[in-house]
Every structure is written in C-alpha cells, then in structure tokens.
Amino acid sequence: MTLADITLPISDAAAKQLALVFTPALAGRLAELHAQHGSTNCVPVPRVLSDGRLMLCADVLTEVMPGGLLHAMWEAADKAVLLASVDVIPWADAVAMLPPDPLQG
C-alpha cells in the first residue's frame, strides 16, 4: 500500500498503527520542503531501517490537514510523486525492520 491509498484525514489512533517508509532521496526532498514550509514546532525525524530506507510514524499525517503544523509543507509537495513514493506498512512490521540497537548489546 502507498500513501495514495490512505484517506485523509486519518485519526491519530489509526495513524499510530502505520509507518511511512521512503527512500533517502525522498527524505532529502522532504527535508527541503520542511526547511521552506515546515514548522519548528513539528520536526519529523525518520529512523533508518535495515534496508536503508527511512520510516516515520504515520501520525505525522494528522498535521498535514488545514490548521496542522505541516499543512503548508503538504500543500507545497508534489503529490503525484509523494503519494506514490511512500509505502505505508503496519507499525509492527516497520519496527521489525529497525537495525539492532548497538547499546542493547
């Protein structure tokens, strides 16, 4: 499933069950958009997965709606690229793809 398959608005409870997974290249573009249109009150920081892709909890989608802290960034994004380029997977599956924590030995 991709972000194009998600109906917005999404509830916080539903969003917290999902992860957004994307490439480092897309992460760079999202960082540029955030620098131009984002809010310092909401700075999403993705985690790197073991396959090199990155992930965020889908609860960031609750901030893209009108009045949300990331709405201006969302409006500036190229939806044709963004919606098709972000995979949406169950949160538990994304967590299982995190690399081992070196501090956990």
Side-chain angles (χ1 to χ4, degrees):
M1 172 169 51
T2 68
L3 192 50
D5 300 309
I6 298 294
T7 301
L8 297 177
I10 186 170
S11 73
D12 190 54
K16 287 182 177 178
Q17 300 301 313
L18 302 171
L20 307 177
V21 179
F22 45 92
T23 65
L26 184 57
R29 178 63 186 131
L30 292 173
E32 290 171 3
L33 284 168
H34 190 274
Q36 296 167 357
H37 306 283
S39 168
T40 56
N41 292 324
C42 182
V43 182
V45 179
R47 296 280 312 264
V48 178
L49 299 175
S50 57
D51 65 2
R53 294 181 299 163
L54 296 112
M55 72 116 170
L56 287 170
C57 181
D59 67 352
V60 300
L61 296 175
T62 64
E63 293 295 341
V64 303
M65 302 314 300
L69 295 171
L70 299 176
H71 180 67
M73 180 182 160
W74 178 258
E75 288 301 308
D78 180 349
K79 307 288 187 317
V81 172
L82 181 63
L83 295 176
S85 299
V86 177
D87 291 323
V88 179
I89 64 173
W91 178 254
D93 293 353
V95 169
M97 294 172 58
L98 288 168
D101 184 344
L103 299 178
Q104 295 293 324

